[in-house]
Amino acid sequence: MRKLIFLLCLSILFISCSDKNSVQITLSDNSPQQQYAFKKLSKNLNENGYNLIENDAEISIQFQLDSTLGKEAFNIKNLGKTIILEGGDQTGLIYASNTIIENLYNGITLKSIENQSDTPKLGFRAIKYDLPWDTYRHSNALYQHQETCKDLNYWEAFLDMLCENRFNALTVWNLHPYNYMIKSKNYPEASEWTDEEMQEWKHLFGSIFKMAKARGIDTYVMPFNIFVPPSFSKKHGGISAKNLDHHHYVEGDTSQVVKDYTRESVIQLLNEYPDLSGIGLTLGEGMGGMTPFEREKWIRETIIAGMQQANRTSKLIHRIPFSGNTESLGATSLEMEQITRNGIEEEASMDKIEKPVWASMKFNWSHPHSTTKLIKVHGGKLYGKYFDPVPKDFKIVWTVRNEDFFCLRWGVEEFARAHINANTPEYVGGYFIGSETYIPAKDYFTTSEYKDKVSWTYAFERQWLFYKIWGRLLYNAETPNSVFINAFKEKYGELYAEKLFKASNLAGKTPLRLLSFFDSTWDFTMYAEGFTYRNPNTENVEFIDIKTFIEQPPQDTTFVSIKNYVKSINAKKTFPKNYTTPVILASQLEVDAKEALKLVEATQTTDNADLMYEVADIKSWSYMGLYMAEKIKAGIALETYRRNGDKVKQQLAITHLENALKYWDNIIEITRPIYNDMRLVHYNENKGKTWQENDHLRFHWALLRYKVVEDIDMAKR
């Protein structure tokens, strides 16, 4: 009898608790976006102990559209038993729903959720994603991702991450994408696939575009020009037949058959993929020997004509050309800017092209994780024609590339926030974030010893803070730091969250300072993570030795090189207060690195491999900062000795370089057990060899130790 009474009481208690935790969700329509939001929200509610029912629930969550809020904006109104999610559009509703999920992760109950709203600062928040097929750079460092990139589970996870971080565009790049997505009706020789293989490709890309659309993410196919498939070239001959391996700085094939094939490919692509948002164009590669006007004309007769002849409207990204003459690597020019602007404005006026046109250019070329000041774009300086007068139907979007840190985690909120606030006047519509020498797919970093101990599967999951900081701040540059601290809390608990966030910000300034102090241009000219650069004399990617470190001019014009500093000090000259001298830079590096190390010194990582890696990367950046500080001090002493023969300064330089070696050894000690020797695209053209001949080359800090020792030997001579 007692047992029966106990069970009845337990049943009543369960029903009571269940009623208090019951939730019903009402959608305003059956759109793919609301279905996606419903699925994600339902899953997280269940995981947090809530029960979903259809009627008479304790709490009702209602989705409502209100276009007056603006695109991608949202409101959350908690009325007690009813929580209203208002979205300016379907994407705004997804963001509102994701905000509820964030609250649940942070331990906030539904009834305690506060009213809140958010509005995007920038309308274009894109990922630059280079596909591992027909890549811009030829390398197994890129080809190794092919299997992962054919897995739709990977794309689902990647797109979920982009959506959570409020990126709203995915741009997929390769030299010639069409033959991977369509089988040309009039040029079947362009396809190298069987019908079965072609269906597999179409299923892959169709699924990617569909999943992206459901998450409020636009998709763009970004071909380089002018390239065609080898099978097409072999049949039709011409200039393209001389470039079957798809080298990118080659003469442009302007034959009529290539024009017709390209135009028809664009038409077919847009017609066969209704979920594809748009297309992009780039004027440079495969266009050698053509003037800026001829390049614009070719684009107008092919890609733009194809967009106009498709059976629907689409969006356009017009990549600003980097050659103002007939060379593939020519400089910028005033004439080119005017020709390009005229072309973009004409494109924006066309009926099948949706406004605004996104006009992209590289911020500080390939190494923008340096200074927030615009020093250069690809090809040189800007002349202002793109901005003056302020355009109406197109917007500038900055391409912020990352060719500098792939292995070590990076996330400096302070830099990203300052960058956005300093570089988003009226004519700027957004940013691209991404790489050309790295694909965030296969995790080729983690050693076998730890593969089964970490929670992540894919490479992008390791760099979670990089995506969260850029994505959330591009949406709203006033996003509070609590968003990022709470993300650390969710992963590693409250005890370490704030310290990890602060330490990551401090340690992550090391590559920013190196790239500001050491001038660079295209991809291979720097790899900050490895303290390497492309030696213009040997044309090899090499370790930055002490001689080069002393002599290289800075990228940021308010930084002072070691050589100029010593020369000026000897001449008793002073520097403006806003300049960063090598002495100031060394001090900043030391202070921040030591503070970062102090913040994580007590972190217990024995039973948490994810946390161990997080702390290891903070320590590695910190020790690299201390290494750089000692190298700067050594450079000042060594340059002084070479100018005046002071042996005391020579010995001081040797001492600082010996200290630097100790810090480099700290990096090796941390990274050798947990990171593999890694393929690196930057090495692919070393010694004038082909990428196949250089395929054996690998990067790891341990493999460069002998070069660190050589600095000491150099100082002794």
Side-chain angles (χ1 to χ4, degrees):
M1 184 67 178
R2 286 181 179 179
K3 184 176 181 181
L4 180 60
I5 293 171
F6 171 77
L7 290 173
L8 285 170
C9 290
L10 187 64
S11 176
I12 291 168
L13 179 63
F14 176 79
I15 293 169
S16 176
C17 291
S18 177
D19 286 342
K20 289 181 179 179
N21 289 329
S22 62
V23 179
Q24 68 184 71
I25 301 174
T26 305
L27 306 181
S28 67
D29 60 44
N30 201 35
S31 68
Q33 293 78 21
Q34 290 192 44
Q35 288 296 321
Y36 171 76
F38 174 82
K39 179 182 176 182
K40 298 289 287 187
L41 182 57
S42 299
K43 178 177 181 292
N44 280 272
L45 286 168
N46 285 327
E47 290 173 351
N48 282 275
Y50 292 93
N51 305 306
L52 264 69
I53 60 176
E54 293 186 4
N55 298 295
D56 301 323
E58 181 71 13
I59 298 173
S60 172
I61 299 176
Q62 298 178 9
F63 284 51
Q64 297 179 7
L65 286 168
D66 181 358
S67 61
T68 64
L69 297 177
K71 289 183 177 180
E72 301 180 322
F74 67 87
N75 286 333
I76 297 175
K77 298 178 180 177
N78 191 339
L79 307 179
K81 290 192 173 185
T82 301
I83 299 174
I84 298 175
L85 307 186
E86 294 179 335
D89 57 11
Q90 301 287 0
T91 304
L93 284 174
I94 294 175
Y95 295 163
S97 179
N98 283 347
T99 302
I100 298 293
I101 293 170
E102 278 187 23
N103 278 268
L104 294 173
Y105 279 140
N106 295 334
I108 300 171
T109 63
L110 284 179
K111 289 187 176 180
S112 301
I113 287 175
E114 297 180 355
N115 294 342
Q116 52 197 294
S117 61
D118 220 340
T119 303
K121 176 180 178 66
L122 297 168
F124 185 86
R125 308 179 301 278
I127 291 294
K128 179 189 186 306
Y129 195 107
D130 278 34
L131 295 169
W133 305 286
D134 202 7
T135 54
Y136 183 84
R137 304 277 179 203
H138 302 319
S139 173
N140 278 327
L142 303 175
Y143 302 150
Q144 67 180 337
H145 297 282
Q146 290 180 353
E147 182 179 354
T148 305
C149 287
K150 279 192 172 184
D151 185 353
L152 286 174
N153 291 323
Y154 162 75
W155 286 104
E156 182 177 13
F158 187 71
L159 291 165
D160 279 346
M161 180 275 294
L162 297 187
C163 179
E164 288 164 12
N165 293 320
R166 302 185 188 173
F167 285 101
N168 68 353
L170 171 68
T171 62
V172 291
W173 302 59
N174 70 350
L175 293 181
H176 187 79
Y178 308 115
N179 58 319
Y180 291 90
M181 301 181 184
I182 61 165
K183 188 162 188 175
S184 176
K185 295 176 181 177
N186 293 322
Y187 299 94
E189 66 273 15
S191 177
E192 301 175 11
W193 319 110
T194 65
D195 289 345
E196 183 179 356
E197 289 169 334
M198 191 68 246
Q199 285 306 310
E200 290 175 358
W201 285 114
K202 293 194 73 170
H203 176 69
L204 173 66
F205 286 106
S207 298
I208 292 170
F209 301 152
K210 183 178 181 180
M211 287 192 293
K213 185 176 182 178
R215 289 157 176 78
I217 298 170
D218 285 343
T219 47
Y220 295 82
V221 170
M222 299 289 297
F224 292 88
N225 305 293
I226 303 165
F227 298 93
V228 292
S231 57
F232 181 96
S233 298
K234 289 175 183 177
K235 177 172 180 178
H236 296 282
I239 292 173
S240 294
K242 302 175 184 178
N243 188 30
L244 298 180
D245 293 330
H246 279 185
H247 299 290
H248 39 267
Y249 294 143
V250 295
E251 189 177 354
D253 188 334
T254 58
S255 62
Q256 190 61 45
V257 68
V258 169
K259 286 182 183 178
D260 292 343
Y261 163 69
T262 304
R263 182 183 64 256
E264 292 185 20
S265 293
V266 170
I267 297 169
Q268 199 171 332
L269 178 70
L270 291 171
N271 289 348
E272 292 185 10
Y273 289 91
D275 293 325
L276 175 64
S277 308
I279 211 160
L281 54 89
T282 177
L283 300 93
E285 291 82 3
M287 286 187 155
M290 300 169 68
T291 66
F293 177 79
E294 288 170 335
R295 294 176 190 194
E296 288 285 346
K297 185 173 183 291
W298 189 90
I299 288 293
R300 185 65 58 85
E301 294 173 352
T302 55
I303 293 178
I304 301 303
M307 295 177 74
Q308 283 293 94
Q309 294 172 36
N311 62 14
R312 64 182 179 89
T313 63
S314 56
K315 300 179 180 182
L316 174 64
I317 297 170
H318 188 124
R319 192 179 179 205
I320 299 297
F322 49 78
S323 179
N325 53 38
T326 59
E327 300 296 321
S328 292
L329 288 171
T332 56
S333 72
L334 183 64
E335 178 194 20
M336 181 194 73
E337 287 195 9
Q338 189 62 64
I339 290 172
T340 303
R341 175 165 183 156
N342 292 343
I344 295 172
E345 289 179 331
E346 288 177 16
E347 291 157 5
S349 69
M350 296 178 181
D351 57 351
K352 290 288 186 73
I353 294 178
E354 301 173 25
K355 297 182 183 66
V357 172
W358 306 112
S360 74
M361 62 180 75
K362 297 179 187 177
F363 193 101
N364 289 341
W365 214 314
S366 294
H367 301 277
H369 287 88
S370 48
T371 173
T372 60
K373 306 181 191 78
L374 179 62
I375 308 297
K376 68 189 95 169
V377 295
H378 192 149
K381 70 174 185 178
L382 288 175
Y383 293 86
K385 282 294 181 181
Y386 298 124
F387 321 134
D388 185 17
V390 174
K392 295 180 180 179
D393 294 331
F394 74 89
K395 292 278 190 180
I396 296 296
V397 293
W398 299 122
T399 299
V400 172
R401 293 268 291 274
N402 170 31
E403 314 302 341
D404 288 291
F405 38 81
F406 310 146
C407 179
L408 299 180
R409 290 158 178 77
W410 182 90
V412 181
E413 158 274 326
E414 183 181 321
F415 171 79
R417 195 187 299 275
H419 199 294
I420 295 162
N421 285 331
N423 296 290
T424 51
E426 181 184 357
Y427 54 79
V428 171
Y431 279 55
F432 280 97
I433 306 294
S435 307
E436 203 142 85
T437 59
Y438 168 67
I439 297 174
K442 178 182 178 180
D443 174 15
Y444 58 99
F445 309 101
T446 307
T447 56
S448 57
E449 179 182 353
Y450 289 97
K451 274 285 189 182
D452 295 331
K453 298 177 182 178
V454 296
S455 66
W456 64 80
T457 303
Y458 307 114
F460 76 84
E461 295 171 296
R462 303 172 63 261
Q463 286 282 9
W464 66 272
L465 187 59
F466 173 86
Y467 292 103
K468 184 167 290 293
I469 282 174
W470 274 118
R472 293 301 295 267
L473 292 177
L474 287 171
Y475 180 86
N476 182 354
E478 302 304 315
T479 297
N481 283 341
S482 59
V483 169
F484 310 118
I485 294 170
N486 285 335
F488 274 104
K489 189 184 300 183
E490 179 196 335
K491 286 178 174 292
Y492 307 119
E494 189 167 4
L495 180 62
Y496 301 129
E498 192 162 355
K499 289 183 177 180
L500 287 169
F501 173 69
K502 289 180 178 178
S504 178
N505 265 284
L506 292 168
K509 291 179 182 178
T510 296
L512 305 179
R513 287 169 172 152
L514 173 58
L515 289 160
S516 295
F517 183 66
F518 196 99
D519 194 24
S520 58
T521 54
W522 60 283
D523 306 4
F524 295 178
T525 56
M526 270 296 284
Y527 175 52
E529 186 172 62
F531 221 85
T532 61
Y533 81 117
R534 188 175 189 266
N535 186 327
N537 298 316
T538 65
E539 297 188 343
N540 291 338
V541 172
E542 302 173 356
F543 182 73
I544 302 172
D545 61 34
I546 187 64
K547 180 178 182 296
T548 304
F549 198 60
I550 290 170
E551 296 177 354
Q552 182 79 351
Q555 173 163 242
D556 188 325
T557 53
T558 62
F559 277 58
V560 182
S561 72
I562 293 172
K563 184 175 182 178
N564 284 343
Y565 174 77
V566 173
K567 180 181 178 182
S568 297
I569 293 298
N570 284 349
K572 301 188 183 306
K573 293 182 179 179
T574 58
F575 300 95
K577 289 184 178 180
N578 66 323
Y579 274 40
T580 301
T581 67
V583 173
I584 293 172
L585 180 58
S587 176
Q588 291 173 337
L589 286 161
E590 280 189 332
V591 169
D592 286 349
K594 289 179 179 178
E595 178 63 20
L597 289 170
K598 184 178 178 181
L599 284 166
V600 298
E601 65 182 351
T603 308
Q604 298 297 316
T605 64
T606 307
D607 299 322
N608 188 331
D610 286 21
L611 181 58
M612 180 274 290
Y613 271 95
E614 200 84 46
V615 172
D617 289 0
I618 289 171
K619 288 181 175 179
S620 296
W621 279 129
S622 298
Y623 284 123
M624 190 174 292
L626 293 172
Y627 167 82
M628 183 175 166
E630 289 294 327
K631 192 157 183 165
I632 289 171
K633 295 175 189 176
I636 294 170
L638 189 59
E639 181 67 7
T640 303
Y641 158 69
R642 287 175 175 167
R643 284 179 178 270
N644 61 25
D646 185 344
K647 288 285 187 181
V648 174
K649 293 295 186 182
Q650 182 188 28
Q651 186 54 52
L652 182 60
I654 293 168
T655 299
H656 283 306
L657 289 171
E658 288 173 342
N659 292 339
L661 175 61
K662 292 175 184 177
Y663 288 129
W664 195 269
D665 282 340
N666 288 139
I667 299 171
I668 294 171
E669 183 182 3
I670 293 166
T671 59
R672 179 41 92 194
I674 64 176
Y675 288 127
N676 294 314
D677 293 352
M678 297 159 257
R679 285 191 166 106
L680 183 66
V681 176
H682 298 58
Y683 284 156
N684 274 19
E685 296 177 10
N686 274 12
K687 298 181 180 179
K689 296 182 178 180
T690 65
W691 70 267
Q692 295 95 332
E693 292 172 311
N694 284 324
D695 188 50
H696 66 284
L697 297 177
R698 296 291 185 273
F699 166 75
H700 194 283
W701 297 271
L703 301 177
L704 293 174
R705 187 183 189 277
Y706 78 101
K707 301 297 292 185
V708 181
V709 173
E710 284 181 4
D711 272 353
I712 302 171
D713 297 335
M714 192 181 297
K716 290 178 179 179
R717 293 196 291 269

